[in-house]
Amino acid sequence: MDVSSHRTALWCVAALLAVGCASTSKPTSTPSTADIPPLALPDTGWSEDQRALHVLRRLAYGPSPGDWEEVHQLGVARWIALQLHPEAIPDDAVAARLEPLPTLHLSTEELIARYPPLREQAKELGMPLESEEDRRELAAMLGKDALPRRVALDLMAQKLIRAVESRRQLEEVLVDFWFNHLNVSAEKGPVRWMVTSYERDAIRPHVFGRFRELLGATARHPAMLFYLDNWTSVRDGFEPRRRGGLPPAFRQNARGINENYARELMELHTLGVDGGYTQEDVHEVARVFTGWSLNRPRVAPSFVFRPDAHDSGEKLVLGHKLPAGGGEREGDQVLDMLARHPSTARFIATKLARKFVADEPPATLVDRLAQVFLDTDGDLRAVYTALFTSPEFWSDTARDTKTKTPLELVASGIRALGGTTDGGPSLARAVERMGEPLYRAPAPTGFPEHATPWVNAGALVTRLNFALALAADRVRGTEVDVKALAPRSGPADAGALVDALALRLLYEPLSPQTRTTLLAALEPGDEGHMPDGEVRPVDLRRAVGLLLGSPEFQKQ
């Protein structure tokens, strides 16, 4: 191992120790910013810089030079209030950045028609598709803009662009949170063409509305119906193969009652695993949702209720009797019941407190948020307001206790440098290498919501490698200006440079331990001395990269 590799290994071990030891309803009109009063925040005794840093780490993808200035101009209380009303924040620059992404505004039917599966395109062209060489040949003939991959690339690009550059930072954080809570994966068959609409039409419009609206929008969306197999769930005794007029895919796949959606609806979306339901409740809810299906799922998927496939008998869900013959309305009755259940209020409150306050959120905070949820009929904006004005959110124990996910780390690194990105494959692969393949969480649970999976030794090495590549301007499609961080007074010794950069990038000093470790990694060694005995200047880009890979920068 050479000197540089040895120092990098030491740095990663130090980082591991440091990280491991730390524990909408749409408005009827667009409000004017003057109509939105600042929030009443508790007195913390923190400086304005400390308050600004805390909210930009939690309610945004980290501080950027522009947002840091804006928070100080508006004041923390007013900045949060505006973030809770993103419709009042112009975001034209990001809208313009998204225009070149051709798939974002298309319906699922249009996406499937314009970017059909490779096998279909090969068949139409009379080409074989039996080997990797065949796939490469077909891809080269079609061109990258005709491949189904275009849909996923555009979707990932818009998420990364928004996370880095949007002025509506809280909205982007919440869209990611709720997508993860109500997760579907683009890895499952035709869901890859449905995810664009799922996030755009079922998630984004409702993150500041009522939870019931969000739950209902996802329950009927083709992505959720297909991902959790409810589209093929039919009553006992229903024989689709003998019935004409049904889509072939439905006739082939319907095999009776499927409990997948019913189970995840209660365990992951509403009540929580300890929310008081039984296996019998799962079965009864599955009966309720029989017949909630899709038309033409692989061509033009849309929700359809199939009365003949629905179990029309009487049902008992969580002690509530649903009379026979309720039809499609039964599904809405169950969604109403679950969305307003005290266990749901507690489960959602816990997850939001875990996201924004601590991996193990205070019980007192969860209790208050759950009560707000119940008192306001699941008004999410009211719950967020209670959360962001709570003493627990502003407590010393909440500061620096959360660890960034890979997406948060990548976005915050670019933002810290005042950079821009096209959100291209290079950046998406960087997030994936750290363990978070965008829109492809491997289970209905989504990506982890606590620190442990993100802070193993291998992950930290990957994070540091990304930070060094970013600082060296070696991430294709992403532009940063590290030279602008150089001290204006000319060359400085390593200690002075690191201290100045820490205040520019972290907005606070390094801990003594991290500072010592970083300076050791920056020492040039004997090979760094010039012939006349002068020491080679400190590598600015390497210093920036090590700071972005430091334990302090991993924290929220």
PDB file of all heavy atoms in Angstrom, residues 376-390:
ATOM      1  N   THR A 376     -56.570  17.177  13.102  1.00  0.00           N
ATOM      2  CA  THR A 376     -56.696  17.886  11.819  1.00  0.00           C
ATOM      3  C   THR A 376     -57.107  16.968  10.681  1.00  0.00           C
ATOM      4  O   THR A 376     -57.039  17.355   9.518  1.00  0.00           O
ATOM      5  CB  THR A 376     -55.357  18.556  11.450  1.00  0.00           C
ATOM      6  OG1 THR A 376     -54.358  17.534  11.271  1.00  0.00           O
ATOM      7  CG2 THR A 376     -54.909  19.530  12.526  1.00  0.00           C
ATOM      8  N   ASP A 377     -57.537  15.752  11.014  1.00  0.00           N
ATOM      9  CA  ASP A 377     -57.921  14.776   9.993  1.00  0.00           C
ATOM     10  C   ASP A 377     -56.770  14.506   9.022  1.00  0.00           C
ATOM     11  O   ASP A 377     -56.941  14.458   7.808  1.00  0.00           O
ATOM     12  CB  ASP A 377     -59.157  15.246   9.234  1.00  0.00           C
ATOM     13  CG  ASP A 377     -59.796  14.135   8.402  1.00  0.00           C
ATOM     14  OD1 ASP A 377     -59.606  12.947   8.744  1.00  0.00           O
ATOM     15  OD2 ASP A 377     -60.472  14.448   7.395  1.00  0.00           O
ATOM     16  N   GLY A 378     -55.576  14.354   9.601  1.00  0.00           N
ATOM     17  CA  GLY A 378     -54.420  13.988   8.788  1.00  0.00           C
ATOM     18  C   GLY A 378     -53.887  15.101   7.909  1.00  0.00           C
ATOM     19  O   GLY A 378     -53.333  14.818   6.836  1.00  0.00           O
ATOM     20  N   ASP A 379     -54.023  16.337   8.327  1.00  0.00           N
ATOM     21  CA  ASP A 379     -53.475  17.471   7.564  1.00  0.00           C
ATOM     22  C   ASP A 379     -51.955  17.460   7.719  1.00  0.00           C
ATOM     23  O   ASP A 379     -51.423  17.823   8.771  1.00  0.00           O
ATOM     24  CB  ASP A 379     -54.062  18.778   8.102  1.00  0.00           C
ATOM     25  CG  ASP A 379     -53.628  19.997   7.296  1.00  0.00           C
ATOM     26  OD1 ASP A 379     -52.522  19.977   6.719  1.00  0.00           O
ATOM     27  OD2 ASP A 379     -54.389  20.970   7.253  1.00  0.00           O
ATOM     28  N   LEU A 380     -51.265  17.066   6.684  1.00  0.00           N
ATOM     29  CA  LEU A 380     -49.819  16.868   6.780  1.00  0.00           C
ATOM     30  C   LEU A 380     -49.083  18.175   7.009  1.00  0.00           C
ATOM     31  O   LEU A 380     -48.099  18.214   7.745  1.00  0.00           O
ATOM     32  CB  LEU A 380     -49.305  16.171   5.518  1.00  0.00           C
ATOM     33  CG  LEU A 380     -49.819  14.736   5.323  1.00  0.00           C
ATOM     34  CD1 LEU A 380     -49.330  14.167   4.000  1.00  0.00           C
ATOM     35  CD2 LEU A 380     -49.398  13.836   6.476  1.00  0.00           C
ATOM     36  N   ARG A 381     -49.531  19.256   6.404  1.00  0.00           N
ATOM     37  CA  ARG A 381     -48.866  20.537   6.614  1.00  0.00           C
ATOM     38  C   ARG A 381     -48.946  20.948   8.091  1.00  0.00           C
ATOM     39  O   ARG A 381     -47.994  21.478   8.644  1.00  0.00           O
ATOM     40  CB  ARG A 381     -49.472  21.629   5.730  1.00  0.00           C
ATOM     41  CG  ARG A 381     -48.535  22.830   5.597  1.00  0.00           C
ATOM     42  CD  ARG A 381     -49.168  24.003   4.851  1.00  0.00           C
ATOM     43  NE  ARG A 381     -50.059  23.662   3.782  1.00  0.00           N
ATOM     44  CZ  ARG A 381     -49.800  23.816   2.482  1.00  0.00           C
ATOM     45  NH1 ARG A 381     -48.631  24.269   2.094  1.00  0.00           N
ATOM     46  NH2 ARG A 381     -50.712  23.515   1.586  1.00  0.00           N
ATOM     47  N   ALA A 382     -50.081  20.655   8.729  1.00  0.00           N
ATOM     48  CA  ALA A 382     -50.224  20.964  10.153  1.00  0.00           C
ATOM     49  C   ALA A 382     -49.273  20.106  10.992  1.00  0.00           C
ATOM     50  O   ALA A 382     -48.690  20.589  11.972  1.00  0.00           O
ATOM     51  CB  ALA A 382     -51.673  20.735  10.598  1.00  0.00           C
ATOM     52  N   VAL A 383     -49.116  18.857  10.606  1.00  0.00           N
ATOM     53  CA  VAL A 383     -48.202  17.979  11.334  1.00  0.00           C
ATOM     54  C   VAL A 383     -46.759  18.454  11.165  1.00  0.00           C
ATOM     55  O   VAL A 383     -45.995  18.510  12.134  1.00  0.00           O
ATOM     56  CB  VAL A 383     -48.355  16.516  10.864  1.00  0.00           C
ATOM     57  CG1 VAL A 383     -47.355  15.606  11.590  1.00  0.00           C
ATOM     58  CG2 VAL A 383     -49.775  16.014  11.116  1.00  0.00           C
ATOM     59  N   TYR A 384     -46.376  18.811   9.937  1.00  0.00           N
ATOM     60  CA  TYR A 384     -45.016  19.330   9.712  1.00  0.00           C
ATOM     61  C   TYR A 384     -44.778  20.588  10.561  1.00  0.00           C
ATOM     62  O   TYR A 384     -43.712  20.754  11.155  1.00  0.00           O
ATOM     63  CB  TYR A 384     -44.790  19.707   8.244  1.00  0.00           C
ATOM     64  CG  TYR A 384     -45.079  18.656   7.215  1.00  0.00           C
ATOM     65  CD1 TYR A 384     -45.547  19.014   5.951  1.00  0.00           C
ATOM     66  CD2 TYR A 384     -44.881  17.302   7.477  1.00  0.00           C
ATOM     67  CE1 TYR A 384     -45.817  18.075   4.979  1.00  0.00           C
ATOM     68  CE2 TYR A 384     -45.156  16.342   6.503  1.00  0.00           C
ATOM     69  CZ  TYR A 384     -45.624  16.736   5.253  1.00  0.00           C
ATOM     70  OH  TYR A 384     -45.895  15.809   4.293  1.00  0.00           O
ATOM     71  N   THR A 385     -45.775  21.473  10.594  1.00  0.00           N
ATOM     72  CA  THR A 385     -45.616  22.716  11.345  1.00  0.00           C
ATOM     73  C   THR A 385     -45.399  22.414  12.821  1.00  0.00           C
ATOM     74  O   THR A 385     -44.520  23.020  13.468  1.00  0.00           O
ATOM     75  CB  THR A 385     -46.850  23.609  11.159  1.00  0.00           C
ATOM     76  OG1 THR A 385     -47.015  23.900   9.762  1.00  0.00           O
ATOM     77  CG2 THR A 385     -46.703  24.915  11.925  1.00  0.00           C
ATOM     78  N   ALA A 386     -46.185  21.500  13.367  1.00  0.00           N
ATOM     79  CA  ALA A 386     -46.002  21.112  14.767  1.00  0.00           C
ATOM     80  C   ALA A 386     -44.618  20.521  14.996  1.00  0.00           C
ATOM     81  O   ALA A 386     -43.984  20.762  16.026  1.00  0.00           O
ATOM     82  CB  ALA A 386     -47.088  20.117  15.172  1.00  0.00           C
ATOM     83  N   LEU A 387     -44.144  19.757  14.024  1.00  0.00           N
ATOM     84  CA  LEU A 387     -42.827  19.124  14.139  1.00  0.00           C
ATOM     85  C   LEU A 387     -41.714  20.160  14.121  1.00  0.00           C
ATOM     86  O   LEU A 387     -40.812  20.155  14.979  1.00  0.00           O
ATOM     87  CB  LEU A 387     -42.645  18.132  12.984  1.00  0.00           C
ATOM     88  CG  LEU A 387     -41.289  17.451  12.818  1.00  0.00           C
ATOM     89  CD1 LEU A 387     -40.887  16.705  14.083  1.00  0.00           C
ATOM     90  CD2 LEU A 387     -41.323  16.505  11.626  1.00  0.00           C
ATOM     91  N   PHE A 388     -41.774  21.093  13.176  1.00  0.00           N
ATOM     92  CA  PHE A 388     -40.678  22.050  12.996  1.00  0.00           C
ATOM     93  C   PHE A 388     -40.688  23.175  14.035  1.00  0.00           C
ATOM     94  O   PHE A 388     -39.729  23.938  14.115  1.00  0.00           O
ATOM     95  CB  PHE A 388     -40.703  22.640  11.587  1.00  0.00           C
ATOM     96  CG  PHE A 388     -40.613  21.604  10.500  1.00  0.00           C
ATOM     97  CD1 PHE A 388     -41.266  21.789   9.292  1.00  0.00           C
ATOM     98  CD2 PHE A 388     -39.898  20.429  10.688  1.00  0.00           C
ATOM     99  CE1 PHE A 388     -41.186  20.837   8.284  1.00  0.00           C
ATOM    100  CE2 PHE A 388     -39.825  19.463   9.695  1.00  0.00           C
ATOM    101  CZ  PHE A 388     -40.471  19.663   8.492  1.00  0.00           C
ATOM    102  N   THR A 389     -41.759  23.271  14.785  1.00  0.00           N
ATOM    103  CA  THR A 389     -41.805  24.257  15.870  1.00  0.00           C
ATOM    104  C   THR A 389     -41.696  23.595  17.242  1.00  0.00           C
ATOM    105  O   THR A 389     -41.868  24.268  18.262  1.00  0.00           O
ATOM    106  CB  THR A 389     -43.107  25.082  15.811  1.00  0.00           C
ATOM    107  OG1 THR A 389     -44.233  24.182  15.894  1.00  0.00           O
ATOM    108  CG2 THR A 389     -43.192  25.886  14.530  1.00  0.00           C
ATOM    109  N   SER A 390     -41.415  22.306  17.266  1.00  0.00           N
ATOM    110  CA  SER A 390     -41.362  21.581  18.540  1.00  0.00           C
ATOM    111  C   SER A 390     -40.032  21.819  19.251  1.00  0.00           C
ATOM    112  O   SER A 390     -38.988  22.008  18.613  1.00  0.00           O
ATOM    113  CB  SER A 390     -41.537  20.082  18.296  1.00  0.00           C
ATOM    114  OG  SER A 390     -40.387  19.544  17.641  1.00  0.00           O
TER     115      SER A 390
END
